[in-house]
Amino acid sequence: MHHFEYRNGRLYAEDVDLAALAREVGTPFYVYSEATLRRHARVFAKAFAGADPLVAFSVKANSNLAVLKILASEGAGADVVSAGELYRALKAGIAPEKIVFSGVGKTAEEMQAALEAGIYQFNVESAPELEALNAVALSLGKRAPVALRVNPDVAAGGHDKISTGRKEDKFGVSWGQTRALYAHARALNGIEVAGVDLHIGSQIADLKPFEAAFTKAGQLIADLRADGCAITRLDLGGGLGIPYGDPKEGGAPPPSPEDYAGLIKKLTAPLGVRLIFEPGRMIAGNAGVLVTQVLYVKEGEGRTFLIVDAGMNDLIRPALYDAYHEIKPVALNETAPEKTYDVVGPVCESSDFLAKQRKLPEFSPGDFAAVMSAGAYGAVQASQYNTRPLVPESLVNGDRYALIRRRPSIEEMLALETAPDWLA
Ligand code: LLP
């Protein structure tokens, strides 16, 4: 459920008219709905009410400071994967004891920053990373609270590129090496073994892979305890899918947070562990849209191209994952005939598209369109390719709106570059 709805044929973000906002901010831009973000955070927390889990929002999905502040005020923690994300989370007011640090390539500097901040947990993904963390912790006179991220070898996720829990994926400690690495970790003075972690993929649309992986995790915890390892936490990662309105989804919505929670409660109740979650998309995905303006309608050979001012540098998901995003006119015209378009951006790549062979109401140059479900992995994956300014982000709350990241000027974009003296 989200707060982007038509009122008298005009698309609103909460009580803000998107066409008016588009004229104010200039296209392309992202707009997030605060009410939707809060609603999703509450739905997730409510599904686990009574269990006292740590819900650590996966900052990579949407790392805007204002978004993080909203989620912090809902009690969320943060799942971070870099010193930059750690800095953002702390700056947004998220307490260090609600922060977990994931990722296969943490540097010694990043480990140090996180140890000094006093984060809740490092999710360690390999033997050499464990050694490195031990060394950094010892040099600071600290012990790093650790969960080993294990790879359960379960296939899951909406696309090959976002599946992370198969043995051929770079993530997690191989299943066969897990017990030995835990035993080794216990012997390290800079490491405090606290838990087990796994994350099997993203945009997971059914419960089966979760069930397979979490069942294995439960067995592992029993084995580790039998080995004498005190496991008190279980981090189940993120990955719950959201509806994108893709006809290929077959109309079946992804599992509800309630069903997901029901399964997890059933599987984990006997374990007596504190649960940790790292949801990203489920919180932010449907809380944002990308607003773009039609520049030209180009009639090709057997194709009509709707050329809009948002490109793959602003929203890369269709180009990178063949992702489906619903596209809606900002002003509905009930009498407009339907046409089939390739919706493409201005970037000089054939992969620069937002939709292919999509039936849409007829658009004309100057019309605004909303690319839906773009609140997660949208702005965060934007680039300045083709020297296009990083796309701005705005936030609505009722009838108020604010720009939460402005568009840089071209001068600002070039400010970090210098030519060496020999070119003077
Ligand atoms: N935890 C870890 C360790 C992760 O790697 C991820 C996502 C999450 C949590 C959050 O997963 P979520 O709940 O959002 O599914 N850019 C891709 C998605 C990449 C996901 C990467 N990891 C996309 O646009 O579909």
Side-chain angles (χ1 to χ4, degrees), residues 58 60-61 79 81 102-103 125 149 161-162 164 171 197 199 201-204 237-241 244 278-282 317 320-321 376-377 381:
S58 200
K60 64 172 80 70
D79 160 46
V81 292
S102 305
E125 304 218 16
R149 176 167 174 186
K161 288 185 181 153
I162 55 174
T164 53
F171 299 99
D197 167 48
H199 168 80
S202 196
Q203 186 54 15
I204 300 173
L240 187 60
Y244 278 96
E278 303 168 356
R281 193 188 311 265
M282 186 267 148
R317 301 194 69 258
L320 199 54
Y321 319 111
Y377 307 110
Q381 290 190 277

PDB file of all heavy atoms in Angstrom, residues 58 60-61 79 81 102-103 125 149 161-162 164 171 197 199 201-204 237-241 244 278-282 317 320-321 376-377 381, ligand 1:
ATOM      1  N   SER A  58      18.122  -1.635   5.414  1.00  0.00           N
ATOM      2  CA  SER A  58      19.286  -1.800   4.548  1.00  0.00           C
ATOM      3  C   SER A  58      19.513  -0.483   3.796  1.00  0.00           C
ATOM      4  O   SER A  58      18.814  -0.168   2.829  1.00  0.00           O
ATOM      5  CB  SER A  58      19.028  -2.968   3.587  1.00  0.00           C
ATOM      6  OG  SER A  58      20.256  -3.421   3.086  1.00  0.00           O
ATOM      7  N   LYS A  60      21.541   0.624   1.769  1.00  0.00           N
ATOM      8  CA  LYS A  60      21.838   0.640   0.340  1.00  0.00           C
ATOM      9  C   LYS A  60      20.593   0.853  -0.512  1.00  0.00           C
ATOM     10  O   LYS A  60      20.682   1.332  -1.626  1.00  0.00           O
ATOM     11  CB  LYS A  60      22.545  -0.655  -0.085  1.00  0.00           C
ATOM     12  CG  LYS A  60      21.692  -1.899   0.074  1.00  0.00           C
ATOM     13  CD  LYS A  60      22.368  -3.120  -0.530  1.00  0.00           C
ATOM     14  CE  LYS A  60      23.417  -3.721   0.367  1.00  0.00           C
ATOM     15  NZ  LYS A  60      22.877  -4.388   1.579  1.00  0.00           N
ATOM     16  N   ALA A  61      19.428   0.507   0.013  1.00  0.00           N
ATOM     17  CA  ALA A  61      18.205   0.634  -0.786  1.00  0.00           C
ATOM     18  C   ALA A  61      17.825   2.098  -0.998  1.00  0.00           C
ATOM     19  O   ALA A  61      17.321   2.476  -2.067  1.00  0.00           O
ATOM     20  CB  ALA A  61      17.051  -0.118  -0.119  1.00  0.00           C
ATOM     21  N   ASP A  79      21.426  -1.437   8.416  1.00  0.00           N
ATOM     22  CA  ASP A  79      22.367  -2.406   7.858  1.00  0.00           C
ATOM     23  C   ASP A  79      23.216  -1.616   6.881  1.00  0.00           C
ATOM     24  O   ASP A  79      22.698  -1.081   5.899  1.00  0.00           O
ATOM     25  CB  ASP A  79      21.573  -3.510   7.140  1.00  0.00           C
ATOM     26  CG  ASP A  79      22.411  -4.292   6.140  1.00  0.00           C
ATOM     27  OD1 ASP A  79      23.541  -4.672   6.493  1.00  0.00           O
ATOM     28  OD2 ASP A  79      21.932  -4.526   5.004  1.00  0.00           O
ATOM     29  N   VAL A  81      27.005  -1.064   4.566  1.00  0.00           N
ATOM     30  CA  VAL A  81      28.020  -1.845   3.857  1.00  0.00           C
ATOM     31  C   VAL A  81      29.263  -1.027   3.513  1.00  0.00           C
ATOM     32  O   VAL A  81      30.088  -1.466   2.718  1.00  0.00           O
ATOM     33  CB  VAL A  81      27.458  -2.469   2.555  1.00  0.00           C
ATOM     34  CG1 VAL A  81      26.426  -3.533   2.868  1.00  0.00           C
ATOM     35  CG2 VAL A  81      26.879  -1.415   1.639  1.00  0.00           C
ATOM     36  N   SER A 102      27.523  -5.187   6.996  1.00  0.00           N
ATOM     37  CA  SER A 102      27.602  -6.331   6.086  1.00  0.00           C
ATOM     38  C   SER A 102      28.577  -6.028   4.955  1.00  0.00           C
ATOM     39  O   SER A 102      29.047  -4.899   4.816  1.00  0.00           O
ATOM     40  CB  SER A 102      26.224  -6.614   5.476  1.00  0.00           C
ATOM     41  OG  SER A 102      25.257  -6.805   6.480  1.00  0.00           O
ATOM     42  N   GLY A 103      28.838  -7.035   4.120  1.00  0.00           N
ATOM     43  CA  GLY A 103      29.641  -6.819   2.912  1.00  0.00           C
ATOM     44  C   GLY A 103      30.916  -7.641   2.891  1.00  0.00           C
ATOM     45  O   GLY A 103      31.542  -7.845   3.928  1.00  0.00           O
ATOM     46  N   GLU A 125      32.241 -12.290   6.314  1.00  0.00           N
ATOM     47  CA  GLU A 125      31.925 -13.155   5.176  1.00  0.00           C
ATOM     48  C   GLU A 125      33.039 -14.105   4.760  1.00  0.00           C
ATOM     49  O   GLU A 125      32.876 -14.860   3.810  1.00  0.00           O
ATOM     50  CB  GLU A 125      31.521 -12.292   3.978  1.00  0.00           C
ATOM     51  CG  GLU A 125      30.364 -11.346   4.285  1.00  0.00           C
ATOM     52  CD  GLU A 125      29.394 -11.204   3.129  1.00  0.00           C
ATOM     53  OE1 GLU A 125      29.421 -12.021   2.205  1.00  0.00           O
ATOM     54  OE2 GLU A 125      28.592 -10.265   3.182  1.00  0.00           O
ATOM     55  N   ARG A 149      28.500 -14.629   8.219  1.00  0.00           N
ATOM     56  CA  ARG A 149      27.465 -14.782   7.188  1.00  0.00           C
ATOM     57  C   ARG A 149      27.709 -16.101   6.488  1.00  0.00           C
ATOM     58  O   ARG A 149      28.778 -16.322   5.918  1.00  0.00           O
ATOM     59  CB  ARG A 149      27.522 -13.644   6.182  1.00  0.00           C
ATOM     60  CG  ARG A 149      26.518 -13.846   5.046  1.00  0.00           C
ATOM     61  CD  ARG A 149      26.345 -12.605   4.234  1.00  0.00           C
ATOM     62  NE  ARG A 149      25.498 -12.825   3.080  1.00  0.00           N
ATOM     63  CZ  ARG A 149      25.287 -11.927   2.148  1.00  0.00           C
ATOM     64  NH1 ARG A 149      25.859 -10.745   2.237  1.00  0.00           N
ATOM     65  NH2 ARG A 149      24.498 -12.174   1.122  1.00  0.00           N
ATOM     66  N   LYS A 161      21.170 -11.527 -11.072  1.00  0.00           N
ATOM     67  CA  LYS A 161      22.139 -10.568 -10.535  1.00  0.00           C
ATOM     68  C   LYS A 161      21.860 -10.166  -9.088  1.00  0.00           C
ATOM     69  O   LYS A 161      22.649  -9.434  -8.493  1.00  0.00           O
ATOM     70  CB  LYS A 161      22.182  -9.320 -11.407  1.00  0.00           C
ATOM     71  CG  LYS A 161      22.865  -9.563 -12.735  1.00  0.00           C
ATOM     72  CD  LYS A 161      23.001  -8.290 -13.540  1.00  0.00           C
ATOM     73  CE  LYS A 161      23.661  -8.589 -14.872  1.00  0.00           C
ATOM     74  NZ  LYS A 161      23.299  -7.651 -15.915  1.00  0.00           N
ATOM     75  N   ILE A 162      20.725 -10.539  -8.555  1.00  0.00           N
ATOM     76  CA  ILE A 162      20.442 -10.173  -7.164  1.00  0.00           C
ATOM     77  C   ILE A 162      20.195 -11.403  -6.295  1.00  0.00           C
ATOM     78  O   ILE A 162      19.610 -11.332  -5.236  1.00  0.00           O
ATOM     79  CB  ILE A 162      19.275  -9.153  -7.044  1.00  0.00           C
ATOM     80  CG1 ILE A 162      18.007  -9.662  -7.729  1.00  0.00           C
ATOM     81  CG2 ILE A 162      19.689  -7.821  -7.625  1.00  0.00           C
ATOM     82  CD1 ILE A 162      16.798  -8.750  -7.513  1.00  0.00           C
ATOM     83  N   THR A 164      21.986 -14.135  -3.983  1.00  0.00           N
ATOM     84  CA  THR A 164      23.261 -14.065  -3.255  1.00  0.00           C
ATOM     85  C   THR A 164      23.572 -15.309  -2.441  1.00  0.00           C
ATOM     86  O   THR A 164      24.644 -15.408  -1.861  1.00  0.00           O
ATOM     87  CB  THR A 164      23.243 -12.871  -2.272  1.00  0.00           C
ATOM     88  OG1 THR A 164      22.070 -12.982  -1.453  1.00  0.00           O
ATOM     89  CG2 THR A 164      23.230 -11.550  -2.996  1.00  0.00           C
ATOM     90  N   PHE A 171      29.102 -14.391  -1.849  1.00  0.00           N
ATOM     91  CA  PHE A 171      28.708 -14.027  -0.494  1.00  0.00           C
ATOM     92  C   PHE A 171      28.762 -15.183   0.504  1.00  0.00           C
ATOM     93  O   PHE A 171      28.441 -16.322   0.178  1.00  0.00           O
ATOM     94  CB  PHE A 171      27.279 -13.457  -0.496  1.00  0.00           C
ATOM     95  CG  PHE A 171      27.164 -12.223  -1.324  1.00  0.00           C
ATOM     96  CD1 PHE A 171      26.666 -12.267  -2.617  1.00  0.00           C
ATOM     97  CD2 PHE A 171      27.597 -11.002  -0.829  1.00  0.00           C
ATOM     98  CE1 PHE A 171      26.588 -11.122  -3.391  1.00  0.00           C
ATOM     99  CE2 PHE A 171      27.525  -9.861  -1.596  1.00  0.00           C
ATOM    100  CZ  PHE A 171      27.017  -9.922  -2.877  1.00  0.00           C
ATOM    101  N   ASP A 197      24.452 -15.273  10.515  1.00  0.00           N
ATOM    102  CA  ASP A 197      23.835 -14.321   9.586  1.00  0.00           C
ATOM    103  C   ASP A 197      23.682 -14.973   8.227  1.00  0.00           C
ATOM    104  O   ASP A 197      24.549 -15.743   7.805  1.00  0.00           O
ATOM    105  CB  ASP A 197      24.740 -13.080   9.470  1.00  0.00           C
ATOM    106  CG  ASP A 197      24.366 -12.178   8.295  1.00  0.00           C
ATOM    107  OD1 ASP A 197      23.165 -11.872   8.146  1.00  0.00           O
ATOM    108  OD2 ASP A 197      25.267 -11.788   7.531  1.00  0.00           O
ATOM    109  N   HIS A 199      21.772 -13.952   4.128  1.00  0.00           N
ATOM    110  CA  HIS A 199      20.935 -13.101   3.271  1.00  0.00           C
ATOM    111  C   HIS A 199      20.988 -13.772   1.912  1.00  0.00           C
ATOM    112  O   HIS A 199      22.052 -13.888   1.320  1.00  0.00           O
ATOM    113  CB  HIS A 199      21.488 -11.669   3.198  1.00  0.00           C
ATOM    114  CG  HIS A 199      20.833 -10.854   2.117  1.00  0.00           C
ATOM    115  ND1 HIS A 199      19.596 -10.260   2.287  1.00  0.00           N
ATOM    116  CD2 HIS A 199      21.210 -10.586   0.848  1.00  0.00           C
ATOM    117  CE1 HIS A 199      19.259  -9.645   1.153  1.00  0.00           C
ATOM    118  NE2 HIS A 199      20.224  -9.819   0.269  1.00  0.00           N
ATOM    119  N   GLY A 201      19.112 -13.205  -1.030  1.00  0.00           N
ATOM    120  CA  GLY A 201      18.803 -12.543  -2.295  1.00  0.00           C
ATOM    121  C   GLY A 201      17.784 -11.446  -2.085  1.00  0.00           C
ATOM    122  O   GLY A 201      17.407 -11.147  -0.946  1.00  0.00           O
ATOM    123  N   SER A 202      17.356 -10.856  -3.184  1.00  0.00           N
ATOM    124  CA  SER A 202      16.462  -9.707  -3.106  1.00  0.00           C
ATOM    125  C   SER A 202      15.279  -9.922  -4.055  1.00  0.00           C
ATOM    126  O   SER A 202      15.372 -10.715  -4.994  1.00  0.00           O
ATOM    127  CB  SER A 202      17.261  -8.468  -3.512  1.00  0.00           C
ATOM    128  OG  SER A 202      16.609  -7.299  -3.131  1.00  0.00           O
ATOM    129  N   GLN A 203      14.193  -9.210  -3.790  1.00  0.00           N
ATOM    130  CA  GLN A 203      12.954  -9.352  -4.584  1.00  0.00           C
ATOM    131  C   GLN A 203      12.542 -10.827  -4.646  1.00  0.00           C
ATOM    132  O   GLN A 203      12.257 -11.393  -5.697  1.00  0.00           O
ATOM    133  CB  GLN A 203      13.123  -8.734  -5.989  1.00  0.00           C
ATOM    134  CG  GLN A 203      11.859  -8.685  -6.856  1.00  0.00           C
ATOM    135  CD  GLN A 203      10.673  -8.004  -6.175  1.00  0.00           C
ATOM    136  OE1 GLN A 203      10.798  -7.321  -5.165  1.00  0.00           O
ATOM    137  NE2 GLN A 203       9.478  -8.209  -6.685  1.00  0.00           N
ATOM    138  N   ILE A 204      12.524 -11.455  -3.466  1.00  0.00           N
ATOM    139  CA  ILE A 204      12.123 -12.860  -3.358  1.00  0.00           C
ATOM    140  C   ILE A 204      10.600 -12.897  -3.254  1.00  0.00           C
ATOM    141  O   ILE A 204      10.008 -12.243  -2.391  1.00  0.00           O
ATOM    142  CB  ILE A 204      12.798 -13.518  -2.134  1.00  0.00           C
ATOM    143  CG1 ILE A 204      14.329 -13.431  -2.314  1.00  0.00           C
ATOM    144  CG2 ILE A 204      12.343 -14.970  -1.971  1.00  0.00           C
ATOM    145  CD1 ILE A 204      15.120 -13.876  -1.113  1.00  0.00           C
ATOM    146  N   GLY A 237      18.786 -11.302   7.330  1.00  0.00           N
ATOM    147  CA  GLY A 237      18.969 -10.493   6.121  1.00  0.00           C
ATOM    148  C   GLY A 237      17.675  -9.830   5.680  1.00  0.00           C
ATOM    149  O   GLY A 237      16.734  -9.654   6.462  1.00  0.00           O
ATOM    150  N   GLY A 238      17.643  -9.471   4.407  1.00  0.00           N
ATOM    151  CA  GLY A 238      16.435  -8.843   3.838  1.00  0.00           C
ATOM    152  C   GLY A 238      15.897  -9.738   2.755  1.00  0.00           C
ATOM    153  O   GLY A 238      15.985 -10.960   2.855  1.00  0.00           O
ATOM    154  N   GLY A 239      15.352  -9.126   1.721  1.00  0.00           N
ATOM    155  CA  GLY A 239      15.005  -9.907   0.545  1.00  0.00           C
ATOM    156  C   GLY A 239      13.544 -10.051   0.210  1.00  0.00           C
ATOM    157  O   GLY A 239      13.208 -10.504  -0.889  1.00  0.00           O
ATOM    158  N   LEU A 240      12.660  -9.664   1.126  1.00  0.00           N
ATOM    159  CA  LEU A 240      11.236  -9.840   0.834  1.00  0.00           C
ATOM    160  C   LEU A 240      10.838  -8.960  -0.356  1.00  0.00           C
ATOM    161  O   LEU A 240      11.107  -7.762  -0.374  1.00  0.00           O
ATOM    162  CB  LEU A 240      10.426  -9.474   2.087  1.00  0.00           C
ATOM    163  CG  LEU A 240       8.936  -9.759   2.036  1.00  0.00           C
ATOM    164  CD1 LEU A 240       8.667 -11.248   1.808  1.00  0.00           C
ATOM    165  CD2 LEU A 240       8.259  -9.311   3.337  1.00  0.00           C
ATOM    166  N   GLY A 241      10.203  -9.577  -1.335  1.00  0.00           N
ATOM    167  CA  GLY A 241       9.845  -8.867  -2.564  1.00  0.00           C
ATOM    168  C   GLY A 241       8.653  -7.938  -2.373  1.00  0.00           C
ATOM    169  O   GLY A 241       7.931  -8.003  -1.377  1.00  0.00           O
ATOM    170  N   TYR A 244       5.545  -5.065  -8.175  1.00  0.00           N
ATOM    171  CA  TYR A 244       5.934  -4.026  -9.140  1.00  0.00           C
ATOM    172  C   TYR A 244       4.863  -3.851 -10.219  1.00  0.00           C
ATOM    173  O   TYR A 244       5.026  -3.072 -11.133  1.00  0.00           O
ATOM    174  CB  TYR A 244       7.273  -4.388  -9.801  1.00  0.00           C
ATOM    175  CG  TYR A 244       8.490  -4.020  -8.978  1.00  0.00           C
ATOM    176  CD1 TYR A 244       9.112  -4.955  -8.157  1.00  0.00           C
ATOM    177  CD2 TYR A 244       9.014  -2.737  -9.013  1.00  0.00           C
ATOM    178  CE1 TYR A 244      10.239  -4.625  -7.407  1.00  0.00           C
ATOM    179  CE2 TYR A 244      10.139  -2.392  -8.272  1.00  0.00           C
ATOM    180  CZ  TYR A 244      10.742  -3.335  -7.471  1.00  0.00           C
ATOM    181  OH  TYR A 244      11.851  -3.001  -6.729  1.00  0.00           O
ATOM    182  N   GLU A 278      17.154  -7.206   7.893  1.00  0.00           N
ATOM    183  CA  GLU A 278      17.772  -6.136   7.104  1.00  0.00           C
ATOM    184  C   GLU A 278      16.896  -5.807   5.892  1.00  0.00           C
ATOM    185  O   GLU A 278      17.343  -5.902   4.747  1.00  0.00           O
ATOM    186  CB  GLU A 278      19.165  -6.589   6.632  1.00  0.00           C
ATOM    187  CG  GLU A 278      20.106  -6.996   7.756  1.00  0.00           C
ATOM    188  CD  GLU A 278      21.368  -7.704   7.246  1.00  0.00           C
ATOM    189  OE1 GLU A 278      21.497  -7.956   6.038  1.00  0.00           O
ATOM    190  OE2 GLU A 278      22.227  -8.007   8.094  1.00  0.00           O
ATOM    191  N   PRO A 279      15.652  -5.419   6.108  1.00  0.00           N
ATOM    192  CA  PRO A 279      14.800  -5.147   4.944  1.00  0.00           C
ATOM    193  C   PRO A 279      15.189  -3.832   4.276  1.00  0.00           C
ATOM    194  O   PRO A 279      15.528  -2.865   4.949  1.00  0.00           O
ATOM    195  CB  PRO A 279      13.392  -5.046   5.551  1.00  0.00           C
ATOM    196  CG  PRO A 279      13.617  -4.567   6.942  1.00  0.00           C
ATOM    197  CD  PRO A 279      14.944  -5.167   7.376  1.00  0.00           C
ATOM    198  N   GLY A 280      15.162  -3.811   2.966  1.00  0.00           N
ATOM    199  CA  GLY A 280      15.434  -2.576   2.236  1.00  0.00           C
ATOM    200  C   GLY A 280      14.266  -2.246   1.338  1.00  0.00           C
ATOM    201  O   GLY A 280      13.453  -1.354   1.602  1.00  0.00           O
ATOM    202  N   ARG A 281      14.138  -3.043   0.277  1.00  0.00           N
ATOM    203  CA  ARG A 281      13.110  -2.795  -0.737  1.00  0.00           C
ATOM    204  C   ARG A 281      11.702  -2.742  -0.146  1.00  0.00           C
ATOM    205  O   ARG A 281      10.877  -1.913  -0.525  1.00  0.00           O
ATOM    206  CB  ARG A 281      13.179  -3.924  -1.776  1.00  0.00           C
ATOM    207  CG  ARG A 281      12.398  -3.670  -3.038  1.00  0.00           C
ATOM    208  CD  ARG A 281      12.363  -4.918  -3.911  1.00  0.00           C
ATOM    209  NE  ARG A 281      13.628  -5.532  -4.113  1.00  0.00           N
ATOM    210  CZ  ARG A 281      14.426  -5.314  -5.161  1.00  0.00           C
ATOM    211  NH1 ARG A 281      14.047  -4.494  -6.113  1.00  0.00           N
ATOM    212  NH2 ARG A 281      15.581  -5.947  -5.267  1.00  0.00           N
ATOM    213  N   MET A 282      11.440  -3.678   0.796  1.00  0.00           N
ATOM    214  CA  MET A 282      10.090  -3.772   1.362  1.00  0.00           C
ATOM    215  C   MET A 282       9.672  -2.459   2.049  1.00  0.00           C
ATOM    216  O   MET A 282       8.506  -2.108   2.077  1.00  0.00           O
ATOM    217  CB  MET A 282      10.111  -4.948   2.346  1.00  0.00           C
ATOM    218  CG  MET A 282       8.809  -5.336   2.944  1.00  0.00           C
ATOM    219  SD  MET A 282       8.629  -4.475   4.502  1.00  0.00           S
ATOM    220  CE  MET A 282       6.881  -4.246   4.576  1.00  0.00           C
ATOM    221  N   ARG A 317      17.621   0.211 -13.005  1.00  0.00           N
ATOM    222  CA  ARG A 317      17.070  -1.141 -12.805  1.00  0.00           C
ATOM    223  C   ARG A 317      16.577  -1.814 -14.093  1.00  0.00           C
ATOM    224  O   ARG A 317      16.864  -2.994 -14.305  1.00  0.00           O
ATOM    225  CB  ARG A 317      15.981  -1.135 -11.737  1.00  0.00           C
ATOM    226  CG  ARG A 317      16.489  -0.616 -10.365  1.00  0.00           C
ATOM    227  CD  ARG A 317      15.532  -0.912  -9.210  1.00  0.00           C
ATOM    228  NE  ARG A 317      15.498  -2.329  -8.937  1.00  0.00           N
ATOM    229  CZ  ARG A 317      14.551  -3.128  -9.303  1.00  0.00           C
ATOM    230  NH1 ARG A 317      13.485  -2.654  -9.932  1.00  0.00           N
ATOM    231  NH2 ARG A 317      14.622  -4.422  -9.057  1.00  0.00           N
ATOM    232  N   LEU A 320      19.763  -2.837 -16.066  1.00  0.00           N
ATOM    233  CA  LEU A 320      20.652  -3.791 -15.401  1.00  0.00           C
ATOM    234  C   LEU A 320      19.984  -5.135 -15.110  1.00  0.00           C
ATOM    235  O   LEU A 320      20.618  -6.177 -15.192  1.00  0.00           O
ATOM    236  CB  LEU A 320      21.166  -3.156 -14.102  1.00  0.00           C
ATOM    237  CG  LEU A 320      22.415  -3.732 -13.465  1.00  0.00           C
ATOM    238  CD1 LEU A 320      23.576  -3.785 -14.449  1.00  0.00           C
ATOM    239  CD2 LEU A 320      22.819  -2.887 -12.252  1.00  0.00           C
ATOM    240  N   TYR A 321      18.719  -5.089 -14.725  1.00  0.00           N
ATOM    241  CA  TYR A 321      18.053  -6.342 -14.312  1.00  0.00           C
ATOM    242  C   TYR A 321      16.813  -6.654 -15.149  1.00  0.00           C
ATOM    243  O   TYR A 321      16.007  -7.493 -14.733  1.00  0.00           O
ATOM    244  CB  TYR A 321      17.592  -6.259 -12.853  1.00  0.00           C
ATOM    245  CG  TYR A 321      18.552  -5.613 -11.888  1.00  0.00           C
ATOM    246  CD1 TYR A 321      18.260  -4.378 -11.327  1.00  0.00           C
ATOM    247  CD2 TYR A 321      19.739  -6.242 -11.518  1.00  0.00           C
ATOM    248  CE1 TYR A 321      19.123  -3.774 -10.415  1.00  0.00           C
ATOM    249  CE2 TYR A 321      20.603  -5.645 -10.618  1.00  0.00           C
ATOM    250  CZ  TYR A 321      20.296  -4.421 -10.074  1.00  0.00           C
ATOM    251  OH  TYR A 321      21.145  -3.827  -9.180  1.00  0.00           O
ATOM    252  N   ALA A 376      13.354   2.259  -3.886  1.00  0.00           N
ATOM    253  CA  ALA A 376      14.504   1.445  -3.464  1.00  0.00           C
ATOM    254  C   ALA A 376      15.388   1.156  -4.669  1.00  0.00           C
ATOM    255  O   ALA A 376      14.882   0.804  -5.743  1.00  0.00           O
ATOM    256  CB  ALA A 376      14.034   0.121  -2.855  1.00  0.00           C
ATOM    257  N   TYR A 377      16.694   1.291  -4.495  1.00  0.00           N
ATOM    258  CA  TYR A 377      17.672   1.026  -5.549  1.00  0.00           C
ATOM    259  C   TYR A 377      17.435   1.914  -6.771  1.00  0.00           C
ATOM    260  O   TYR A 377      17.699   1.520  -7.898  1.00  0.00           O
ATOM    261  CB  TYR A 377      17.670  -0.469  -5.924  1.00  0.00           C
ATOM    262  CG  TYR A 377      17.840  -1.367  -4.724  1.00  0.00           C
ATOM    263  CD1 TYR A 377      16.809  -2.160  -4.238  1.00  0.00           C
ATOM    264  CD2 TYR A 377      19.056  -1.368  -4.034  1.00  0.00           C
ATOM    265  CE1 TYR A 377      16.974  -2.954  -3.109  1.00  0.00           C
ATOM    266  CE2 TYR A 377      19.220  -2.164  -2.906  1.00  0.00           C
ATOM    267  CZ  TYR A 377      18.177  -2.947  -2.449  1.00  0.00           C
ATOM    268  OH  TYR A 377      18.340  -3.726  -1.331  1.00  0.00           O
ATOM    269  N   GLN A 381      21.432   4.279  -6.924  1.00  0.00           N
ATOM    270  CA  GLN A 381      22.225   3.689  -8.015  1.00  0.00           C
ATOM    271  C   GLN A 381      22.376   4.662  -9.175  1.00  0.00           C
ATOM    272  O   GLN A 381      22.842   4.278 -10.253  1.00  0.00           O
ATOM    273  CB  GLN A 381      21.574   2.374  -8.495  1.00  0.00           C
ATOM    274  CG  GLN A 381      21.688   1.238  -7.483  1.00  0.00           C
ATOM    275  CD  GLN A 381      21.259  -0.116  -8.048  1.00  0.00           C
ATOM    276  OE1 GLN A 381      20.085  -0.453  -8.079  1.00  0.00           O
ATOM    277  NE2 GLN A 381      22.206  -0.890  -8.512  1.00  0.00           N
TER     278      GLN A 381
HETATM  279  N1  LLP B   1      21.131  -7.387   3.536  1.00  0.00           N
HETATM  280  C1  LLP B   1      22.131  -7.623   2.672  1.00  0.00           C
HETATM  281  C2  LLP B   1      23.365  -8.248   3.167  1.00  0.00           C
HETATM  282  C3  LLP B   1      21.984  -7.297   1.320  1.00  0.00           C
HETATM  283  O1  LLP B   1      22.964  -7.554   0.475  1.00  0.00           O
HETATM  284  C4  LLP B   1      20.776  -6.705   0.870  1.00  0.00           C
HETATM  285  C5  LLP B   1      20.596  -6.340  -0.532  1.00  0.00           C
HETATM  286  C6  LLP B   1      19.766  -6.441   1.815  1.00  0.00           C
HETATM  287  C7  LLP B   1      19.980  -6.818   3.142  1.00  0.00           C
HETATM  288  C8  LLP B   1      18.456  -5.803   1.447  1.00  0.00           C
HETATM  289  O2  LLP B   1      17.704  -6.587   0.584  1.00  0.00           O
HETATM  290  P1  LLP B   1      16.200  -6.185   0.228  1.00  0.00           P
HETATM  291  O3  LLP B   1      15.370  -6.334   1.463  1.00  0.00           O
HETATM  292  O4  LLP B   1      16.206  -4.786  -0.256  1.00  0.00           O
HETATM  293  O5  LLP B   1      15.823  -7.144  -0.836  1.00  0.00           O
HETATM  294  N2  LLP B   1      20.059  -3.311  -6.759  1.00  0.00           N
HETATM  295  C9  LLP B   1      19.211  -4.487  -6.801  1.00  0.00           C
HETATM  296  C10 LLP B   1      19.062  -5.124  -5.441  1.00  0.00           C
HETATM  297  C11 LLP B   1      20.376  -5.472  -4.809  1.00  0.00           C
HETATM  298  C12 LLP B   1      20.230  -6.032  -3.419  1.00  0.00           C
HETATM  299  C13 LLP B   1      21.532  -6.098  -2.758  1.00  0.00           C
HETATM  300  N3  LLP B   1      21.496  -6.545  -1.412  1.00  0.00           N
HETATM  301  C14 LLP B   1      17.870  -4.119  -7.383  1.00  0.00           C
HETATM  302  O6  LLP B   1      17.676  -2.959  -7.767  1.00  0.00           O
HETATM  303  O7  LLP B   1      16.986  -4.975  -7.525  1.00  0.00           O
END
